[in-house]
Amino acid sequence: MFEKILIANRGEIALRIQRACRELGIATVAVHSTADAEAMHVRLADESVCIGPPPAKDSYLNVAAILSAARITGADAIHPGYGFLAENAGFAEMVEAHGLTFIGPSPEHIRMMGDKIAAKAAMARLGVPLVAGSDGAVPDVASARLVAQRIGYPVLIKAAAGGGGRGMKVARADEEIEEAFRVARAEARAAFGNDAVYLEKYLDRPRHIELQILADAYGDVVHFGERDCSLQRRHQKLLEEAGSPALDAARRDRLGETVTGALGQLGYRNAGTLEFLYQDGQFAFIEMNTRLQVEHPVTEMVCGIDLVREQIRIAAGNVLGYRQRDIRFNGHAIECRITAEDPETFMPTPGRVSAFHAPGGLGVRVDSALYAGYVVPPHYDSLVAKLIVHAPTRLEAIGRARRALDEFAIVGIKTTIALHQRIMEEPSFQAGDYTIHWLERFVAAGGASSGA
Amino acid sequence: MFEKILIANRGEIALRIQRACRELGIATVAVHSTADAEAMHVRLADESVCIGPPPAKDSYLNVAAILSAARITGADAIHPGYGFLAENAGFAEMVEAHGLTFIGPSPEHIRMMGDKIAAKAAMARLGVPLVAGSDGAVPDVASARLVAQRIGYPVLIKAAAGGGGRGMKVARADEEIEEAFRVARAEARAAFGNDAVYLEKYLDRPRHIELQILADAYGDVVHFGERDCSLQRRHQKLLEEAGSPALDAARRDRLGETVTGALGQLGYRNAGTLEFLYQDGQFAFIEMNTRLQVEHPVTEMVCGIDLVREQIRIAAGNVLGYRQRDIRFNGHAIECRITAEDPETFMPTPGRVSAFHAPGGLGVRVDSALYAGYVVPPHYDSLVAKLIVHAPTRLEAIGRARRALDEFAIVGIKTTIALHQRIMEEPSFQAGDYTIHWLERFVAAGGASSGA
Amino acid sequence: MTRIPMDPDAIRALAGILTETGLTEIEIAEKDSRIRVVRAPGVPPPSAEAPTRAAPHPPATLAPPPSELDALASHPGAVLSPMVGVVYLSPEPGAPPFVTVGQTVSAGQTVLLIEAMKTFNHIKAPKAGTVTRILVANSSPVEYGEPLMLIEA
Amino acid sequence: MTRIPMDPDAIRALAGILTETGLTEIEIAEKDSRIRVVRAPGVPPPSAEAPTRAAPHPPATLAPPPSELDALASHPGAVLSPMVGVVYLSPEPGAPPFVTVGQTVSAGQTVLLIEAMKTFNHIKAPKAGTVTRILVANSSPVEYGEPLMLIEA
């Protein structure tokens, strides 16, 4: 096992990793910019090194400074957290080149998944479902109709040579396919001088569902079920659940089998998450994140596993030590991301936290680097706290989230607590009836009951 | 279900009940003395009523004031918490007499278990193990030896007419029994003019192990495993674990069967705990607590159940809705009771809490009514916070407790955090190798490594 | 020695203005008097907020708003409720009240009843004086220590 | 000497108001008398302790104790480390140091090396002056912004 780990990050995730190290009896080195000298992750670490001025590019993205800090403190491994250098293959290579262990996947896999096209191609080869469609061009309406019936309406008819929406038509039912096919084809010929068209499933109301996996260096791969991250604003996740209100155990198991099989063939190592769009019972792979994710705690609550501890164990060369059948899913968990933003305008609100009091009690977990008197610097991400609740059922989890949000006191800066409080009261959310468009509409409607 | 519950308590347990009510959507009434006007349980309740001056006898034990408060606020049930009126059968009767529901057992059962002699007799009748011994007097050495061999050494030979230690001898092995028997008998004759003696198992190094049960109004009784509360000082529990390092699943199940069977016959209702001394694989019933206990959270963590929610559901006439086979025990939990006392001298340290920051992260739960700026009043119990940790194994739980204690900041008053930190470092504690005498010795040795 | 006359409320008021305006220093001079308050950048006003900021409904109370309650409770002529119960201003329904505002009362005279646990408790005037204010309505609930009326000499 | 009259209670009262209002300075003048109370932003009233009380070992730092570090870092003549690395006071092992205390240096003159990522970076005097203090030992690690030496005009 490692003796000293350098945590190349800040904020709540640096604290999260600090806690896992402390529990494993591993010494820690915090790195920080001049803006974070008083930060919680610095206060709690065994050692700290100032690596640069506030701008991330000069500090938390400053590879030379971080590697020098590791050297002068004698750290033997580096945990990158998420963001910053977490998915930088070059950094991972340099870490290894300096004889240190990078706590994460191999640079090759980071690079592969960083290229979204290559990632999709690889996953397709390995049998992971992408968005359904015709393999190549469809010659006539009859075959178009057959494909549409196979993959299910609505379907998108796209110009093979196309782009920019031209030569692109939606058919929502059988009676629309002929017309749509003819128009798409005509537009394609006119626009590109090539009337070849192909079909793709049209996802008009998908959910964002992702699958958490762990793999050791010896080919064992286990999944920890799904997270539903459909509640997003401007592609920023705001609230996540495990499991998804839209998925049953059978579907989860099938997807899990496919994914763990694929990653086994790939020889993937450490933690990873595959993101999918999910609609009408079908999954379409979007991308794979080769790191720990912000929302990992909901999986930890439901599976009773410490994902960061496991990342460290795996990087140190340990075997997983458990199989898929050992993983149990207990109850339901919800994470509320609380950011230093105005809950109405989403303007960032850095500044001094004059009072901080986290909720407590049964089934409530808070991951936050805030404390009374801390000044939230303006230079970094606005995430300041994660409230995670766990309960036997989703309904009880919502009740618990509601009371915990009511107890949560962050005074001095505006936060999105009030927005989460409104979401909890929303019938369509309570019913689990939402897609990736839900939150945008809810916010547009001013968090009113027309949110669904 | 109830619409409004009056919480007849203060401090962390009032807050604990407040949280359960809020999650169930039940309105709450806090009662408080003039000393507690600013207390957390008052701040968070829907309504509050000042019921008297600081002395408990004039406020939290003031039955008339509490019943009047229930009446003028229109509460339909009263939760007594622990301590104060929780085991006062007369109070329970008056609550029912006023047409309100007492959230707890029937007055009869409270009264029965309040009389320790009657409780033992009842449990003996129902087959719950008491301390092993000879049934009545033993005529001669031979039969004394037989009994001793049956119940196992060491044994205590006591004068039937005895008391005050006279005519009382310990035999630790077969070769000591004859001598001990003769001396005891002689002393008995000399002291009481009656040489009848009987044998009892001598518990020189017992553990305190208790079993948590829930029973509904329809005869269903379920147990939630044991808690090991051996770490006590002056009969005050300081740290509790679920499960006990000394018990295996088979022994737990056997005891559970006996106890649930007994309480079923008794017609017991709501939550209860049976306390035992445990040594050499044998249980000896001490007493039954007919209320929620301070250490209930460790059971909640391991069984994934909300005991206060269940108490309320049962009192409202709901069925348990699960059977013994549905109860799973996941991992290990430890509770550290943090009191406003000097960790060396145990002098109470009431006063102003200038800063409060609770630990967070995975597997950490804090039940506390403290907040920055709160003044701990001198009139009540010194318990100010309960830190509960949960992890897959006992070893990981200890590591988690250690790091959580390190994070815990209660500034302005002295607390026992430092004592818990020392206990966590103690090899004999880490090995789970302790009895009810361990803590006294540990403290006497100044929390030094000779603590075991 | 000369004692400098100071006005804490004025200082508090200025501190409030600092906070409100985001200024860091205010100085006011009038003839020979001068007052100056400074708050260094980065040092915030202490937050009076209690850790219930996020709570949807602030804890209700059966009494008038704390501020007024406290003020009245500490009033020298205040008669405070010795128990939790329901107030009755007259001996029985329809009967004239025990006392009315402006009436003079003698020490020990019953001024109202509080019913608790089905018993009616006579609340007596602690001292002789004039009833200047009655703070509770007939048959309204009261908590311990809640001011009931003012009797001033 | 004339004894200056003072009113301790007034000072305590003002100190109390400082804490209460979060001000850092209050000045009151009346004719020839004047009272001024200041609390430096660094020195907080008791309610501002950092939430690390229970931590077993305070966060270590590679630099001298914060207080001194801060003082030196803000010294006008301080040369601050532009990077994380290891300091070398001489061009190579055994060679004489680049500079010694008392020596005058010209702007742009190399005063030490910092090795980071196996490259040796020349740290140059920001301005001409005299080396009054060298704050780091040879081959010791330094963090960003750490004061290396003082050069005063």
Side-chain angles (χ1 to χ4, degrees):
Chain A
M1 186 47 70
F2 306 112
E3 288 183 0
K4 189 186 283 189
I5 291 176
L6 182 143
I7 301 164
N9 216 302
R10 64 178 302 282
E12 69 86 19
I13 196 61
L15 188 56
R16 171 70 186 89
I17 298 160
Q18 159 73 25
R19 284 166 168 161
C21 292
R22 179 59 56 83
E23 291 179 15
L24 280 163
I26 299 171
T28 54
V29 178
V31 295
H32 63 90
S33 72
T34 51
D36 280 337
E38 292 302 306
M40 190 69 132
H41 77 280
V42 176
R43 290 176 176 281
L44 289 181
D46 295 302
E47 296 173 65
S48 67
V49 180
C50 180
I51 52 170
K57 67 171 181 19
D58 303 321
S59 50
Y60 297 105
L61 290 171
N62 183 338
V63 172
I66 290 168
L67 290 174
S68 298
R71 181 183 149 220
I72 62 178
T73 54
D76 50 7
I78 295 182
H79 196 307
Y82 54 68
F84 294 132
L85 297 166
E87 288 174 297
N88 180 323
F91 176 66
E93 272 164 352
M94 291 181 77
V95 170
E96 307 279 349
H98 281 67
L100 307 175
T101 304
F102 177 81
I103 300 175
S106 70
E108 297 66 35
H109 287 134
I110 296 175
R111 190 167 282 116
M112 173 191 283
M113 297 306 166
D115 175 343
K116 303 309 170 194
I117 306 300
K120 276 190 175 167
M123 288 303 170
R125 273 198 309 280
L126 295 163
V128 174
L130 305 188
V131 63
S134 62
D135 304 323
V138 280
D140 49 47
V141 174
S143 36
R145 178 173 282 115
L146 285 176
V147 174
Q149 284 162 351
R150 174 169 58 78
I151 65 178
Y153 288 98
V155 297
L156 203 56
I157 304 170
K158 289 169 134 178
R166 281 174 312 167
M168 195 180 294
K169 284 278 158 290
V170 177
R172 302 189 171 278
D174 235 16
E175 51 273 30
E176 293 180 15
I177 188 87
E178 182 160 4
E179 170 70 1
F181 184 83
R182 229 184 297 94
V183 175
R185 185 153 221 172
E187 283 189 17
R189 189 184 307 104
F192 314 107
N194 169 356
D195 66 2
V197 295
Y198 66 100
L199 257 70
E200 203 174 80
K201 175 77 179 175
Y202 177 49
L203 301 178
D204 53 345
R205 47 187 208 303
R207 302 180 78 108
H208 173 116
I209 291 180
E210 59 189 30
L211 197 80
Q212 174 71 54
I213 68 96
L214 281 178
D216 64 20
Y218 315 99
D220 275 340
V221 189
V222 168
H223 76 85
F224 296 88
E226 81 284 5
R227 294 183 289 257
D228 194 320
C229 312
S230 301
L231 262 53
Q232 306 183 2
R233 185 181 163 276
R234 307 216 170 139
H235 302 291
Q236 291 297 308
K237 296 167 185 169
L238 186 100
L239 179 152
E240 303 95 348
E241 308 191 56
S244 169
L247 218 60
D248 57 29
R251 281 216 167 80
R252 166 200 295 155
D253 296 346
R254 266 203 305 283
L255 181 67
E257 261 177 51
T258 311
V259 166
T260 50
L263 293 176
Q265 290 180 59
L266 212 55
Y268 187 84
R269 190 192 66 223
N270 214 287
T273 297
L274 284 82
E275 298 190 330
F276 296 89
L277 290 178
Y278 178 73
Q279 181 177 326
D280 306 325
Q282 290 173 42
F283 290 95
F285 172 81
I286 315 169
E287 64 174 9
M288 177 171 186
N289 298 316
T290 56
R291 53 165 170 87
L292 189 67
Q293 291 193 270
V294 176
E295 60 270 25
H296 75 277
V298 289
T299 300
E300 293 183 316
M301 305 310 277
V302 167
C303 297
I305 185 142
D306 184 333
L307 288 170
V308 178
R309 182 190 188 95
E310 293 304 293
Q311 283 191 294
I312 295 169
R313 284 185 55 249
I314 291 167
N318 293 285
V319 295
L320 282 187
Y322 40 80
R323 308 209 164 284
Q324 191 61 53
R325 63 168 173 277
D326 301 320
I327 309 306
R328 298 256 168 286
F329 302 97
N330 294 313
H332 191 87
I334 298 175
E335 172 179 279
C336 298
R337 295 195 192 189
I338 296 167
T339 55
E341 296 176 312
D342 182 305
E344 312 286 340
T345 65
F346 295 95
M347 292 290 295
T349 57
R352 184 184 171 92
V353 176
S354 55
F356 177 80
H357 193 87
L362 175 60
V364 172
R365 166 182 175 182
V366 174
D367 280 24
S368 173
L370 292 184
Y371 59 86
Y374 175 69
V375 178
V376 178
H379 314 88
Y380 312 107
D381 185 89
S382 62
L383 180 69
V384 291
K386 301 189 306 196
L387 169 66
I388 304 101
V389 294
H390 183 217
T393 66
R394 183 170 186 269
L395 197 67
E396 289 168 79
I398 291 173
R400 187 154 287 162
R402 193 194 266 125
R403 79 92 178 149
L405 287 163
D406 290 350
E407 276 180 37
F408 211 148
I410 301 176
V411 185
I413 59 172
K414 287 183 177 176
T415 74
T416 47
I417 287 175
L419 175 60
H420 285 287
Q421 287 176 306
R422 288 203 304 275
I423 290 172
M424 294 300 156
E425 304 306 326
E426 187 62 25
S428 54
F429 171 75
Q430 290 169 359
D433 171 21
Y434 56 76
T435 71
I436 58 172
H437 306 303
W438 190 92
L439 184 60
E440 294 281 8
R441 295 192 193 125
F442 182 72
V443 168
S449 284
S450 55
Chain B
M1 187 47 72
F2 306 112
E3 287 183 358
K4 189 187 284 189
I5 291 176
L6 182 144
I7 301 165
N9 216 303
R10 64 177 304 283
E12 69 86 19
I13 196 60
L15 188 56
R16 169 70 185 90
I17 298 160
Q18 159 73 26
R19 284 166 168 161
C21 292
R22 180 60 55 84
E23 292 180 13
L24 280 163
I26 299 171
T28 55
V29 179
V31 294
H32 64 90
S33 72
T34 51
D36 280 338
E38 292 302 304
M40 191 69 130
H41 76 280
V42 176
R43 291 177 178 280
L44 289 182
D46 295 301
E47 296 174 65
S48 67
V49 180
C50 180
I51 52 170
K57 68 171 181 15
D58 302 320
S59 50
Y60 297 104
L61 291 171
N62 183 340
V63 172
I66 289 167
L67 290 174
S68 297
R71 182 185 149 218
I72 63 179
T73 55
D76 50 6
I78 295 182
H79 196 307
Y82 54 66
F84 293 132
L85 297 167
E87 287 175 297
N88 181 323
F91 176 67
E93 272 164 353
M94 292 181 77
V95 170
E96 306 280 350
H98 281 68
L100 308 175
T101 303
F102 177 81
I103 299 174
S106 70
E108 298 65 37
H109 287 135
I110 296 174
R111 189 167 282 116
M112 172 191 282
M113 297 307 166
D115 174 343
K116 302 308 170 195
I117 307 300
K120 276 190 173 165
M123 287 302 169
R125 272 198 310 280
L126 295 163
V128 175
L130 305 188
V131 64
S134 62
D135 305 321
V138 281
D140 50 46
V141 175
S143 36
R145 178 174 281 114
L146 285 175
V147 174
Q149 284 163 349
R150 174 169 58 79
I151 65 177
Y153 288 97
V155 297
L156 203 56
I157 304 169
K158 288 169 132 180
R166 281 171 316 164
M168 195 179 295
K169 284 278 159 292
V170 177
R172 302 186 172 279
D174 236 17
E175 51 272 30
E176 293 180 15
I177 187 87
E178 183 161 3
E179 169 71 1
F181 185 84
R182 232 186 293 94
V183 175
R185 188 153 218 177
E187 283 190 14
R189 190 184 305 105
F192 314 106
N194 169 357
D195 66 0
V197 295
Y198 66 99
L199 259 72
E200 202 174 81
K201 174 80 180 174
Y202 176 49
L203 302 177
D204 55 344
R205 46 187 209 303
R207 302 179 78 106
H208 173 116
I209 291 181
E210 59 189 30
L211 197 79
Q212 174 71 55
I213 67 97
L214 281 179
D216 64 20
Y218 315 99
D220 275 341
V221 189
V222 168
H223 76 85
F224 296 87
E226 81 284 5
R227 294 183 289 257
D228 194 320
C229 312
S230 302
L231 261 52
Q232 306 183 2
R233 184 179 164 278
R234 309 222 170 131
H235 302 290
Q236 291 297 308
K237 296 167 184 170
L238 187 100
L239 179 151
E240 303 95 348
E241 307 191 57
S244 169
L247 218 58
D248 57 30
R251 281 218 169 80
R252 167 199 295 155
D253 295 346
R254 266 203 306 282
L255 180 68
E257 261 176 52
T258 310
V259 166
T260 50
L263 294 176
Q265 290 180 60
L266 211 56
Y268 188 84
R269 189 192 66 223
N270 213 288
T273 297
L274 284 83
E275 299 191 328
F276 297 88
L277 291 179
Y278 178 73
Q279 181 176 326
D280 306 324
Q282 289 172 42
F283 290 95
F285 172 81
I286 315 167
E287 65 175 10
M288 177 170 185
N289 297 317
T290 56
R291 53 164 171 86
L292 189 66
Q293 291 194 270
V294 176
E295 60 271 25
H296 75 278
V298 289
T299 301
E300 293 184 317
M301 305 310 277
V302 167
C303 297
I305 186 142
D306 184 333
L307 288 170
V308 178
R309 181 189 188 95
E310 293 305 293
Q311 282 191 294
I312 295 169
R313 283 185 55 249
I314 291 167
N318 294 284
V319 296
L320 282 187
Y322 40 79
R323 308 208 163 284
Q324 191 60 53
R325 63 168 175 276
D326 301 321
I327 309 305
R328 299 256 168 287
F329 302 98
N330 294 312
H332 190 87
I334 299 176
E335 171 180 279
C336 298
R337 294 194 192 190
I338 296 168
T339 55
E341 296 177 312
D342 182 305
E344 312 286 337
T345 65
F346 295 95
M347 293 291 294
T349 58
R352 184 171 187 277
V353 176
S354 55
F356 177 81
H357 193 87
L362 176 60
V364 172
R365 167 183 174 181
V366 174
D367 280 25
S368 174
L370 291 184
Y371 59 86
Y374 175 69
V375 177
V376 178
H379 315 86
Y380 312 106
D381 185 89
S382 63
L383 179 69
V384 290
K386 302 189 305 196
L387 168 65
I388 304 102
V389 295
H390 183 216
T393 66
R394 184 169 185 272
L395 196 67
E396 289 167 78
I398 291 173
R400 188 154 286 163
R402 193 195 266 125
R403 79 91 178 150
L405 287 163
D406 290 350
E407 277 180 37
F408 211 148
I410 301 177
V411 185
I413 58 172
K414 287 183 176 175
T415 74
T416 48
I417 287 174
L419 175 60
H420 285 288
Q421 287 176 307
R422 289 204 303 275
I423 291 172
M424 294 300 156
E425 303 306 324
E426 188 61 26
S428 54
F429 171 76
Q430 290 169 357
D433 171 22
Y434 56 76
T435 71
I436 59 171
H437 306 302
W438 190 92
L439 184 60
E440 294 280 8
R441 296 195 192 120
F442 182 72
V443 169
S449 285
S450 54
Chain C
M1 62 174 277
T2 54
R3 182 172 238 83
I4 296 179
M6 72 160 174
D7 176 356
D9 292 338
I11 296 171
R12 292 195 184 86
L14 290 169
I17 296 170
L18 275 188
T19 309
E20 164 198 335
T21 57
L23 293 172
T24 57
E25 178 169 345
I26 299 177
E27 180 166 353
I28 297 175
E30 171 79 22
K31 296 204 184 61
D32 300 343
S33 319
R34 196 156 133 286
I35 179 164
R36 176 159 165 274
V37 296
V38 179
R39 182 184 289 122
V43 181
S47 120
E49 283 115 315
T52 44
R53 192 214 54 10
H57 28 226
T61 151
L62 298 163
S67 54
E68 192 195 344
L69 172 66
D70 301 348
L72 292 169
S74 54
H75 187 291
V79 180
L80 304 181
S81 174
M83 67 190 70
V84 181
V86 176
V87 168
Y88 293 100
L89 297 177
S90 42
E92 65 223 27
F98 289 100
V99 296
T100 54
V101 171
Q103 178 177 340
T104 61
V105 294
S106 51
Q109 178 179 343
T110 295
V111 292
L112 51 72
L113 303 177
I114 294 181
E115 186 240 312
M117 305 292 292
K118 300 180 174 48
T119 51
F120 290 83
N121 306 275
H122 288 253
I123 307 304
K124 297 175 161 48
K127 59 175 189 208
T130 307
V131 176
T132 56
R133 199 166 157 197
I134 296 176
L135 302 163
V136 287
N138 191 56
S139 77
S140 65
V142 291
E143 60 185 344
Y144 173 86
E146 184 172 344
L148 303 169
M149 61 176 61
L150 302 185
I151 298 176
E152 302 181 73
Chain D
M1 59 170 280
T2 55
R3 180 172 233 78
I4 297 176
M6 75 159 187
D7 176 353
D9 293 339
I11 294 170
R12 289 197 190 85
L14 288 169
I17 296 171
L18 270 190
T19 307
E20 165 200 332
T21 56
L23 291 171
T24 56
E25 180 172 346
I26 299 176
E27 181 170 351
I28 300 176
E30 175 77 16
K31 300 206 177 53
D32 299 345
S33 329
R34 199 157 133 282
I35 287 190
R36 179 158 166 276
V37 294
V38 179
R39 179 180 288 120
V43 190
S47 63
E49 283 107 322
T52 44
R53 197 232 14 40
H57 27 227
T61 150
L62 299 163
S67 55
E68 192 196 343
L69 172 66
D70 300 347
L72 292 169
S74 53
H75 187 291
V79 180
L80 303 182
S81 174
M83 67 190 70
V84 182
V86 177
V87 168
Y88 293 100
L89 297 177
S90 42
E92 63 223 27
F98 289 101
V99 296
T100 53
V101 171
Q103 177 178 340
T104 61
V105 295
S106 51
Q109 178 180 344
T110 294
V111 293
L112 52 71
L113 301 177
I114 294 181
E115 187 240 311
M117 306 290 293
K118 303 183 171 48
T119 52
F120 289 83
N121 307 274
H122 288 254
I123 307 304
K124 296 173 161 42
K127 57 172 193 211
T130 308
V131 176
T132 56
R133 199 165 156 198
I134 295 176
L135 302 163
V136 287
N138 191 56
S139 77
S140 65
V142 292
E143 60 185 344
Y144 174 87
E146 185 172 343
L148 303 170
M149 61 175 60
L150 303 185
I151 298 176
E152 303 180 72

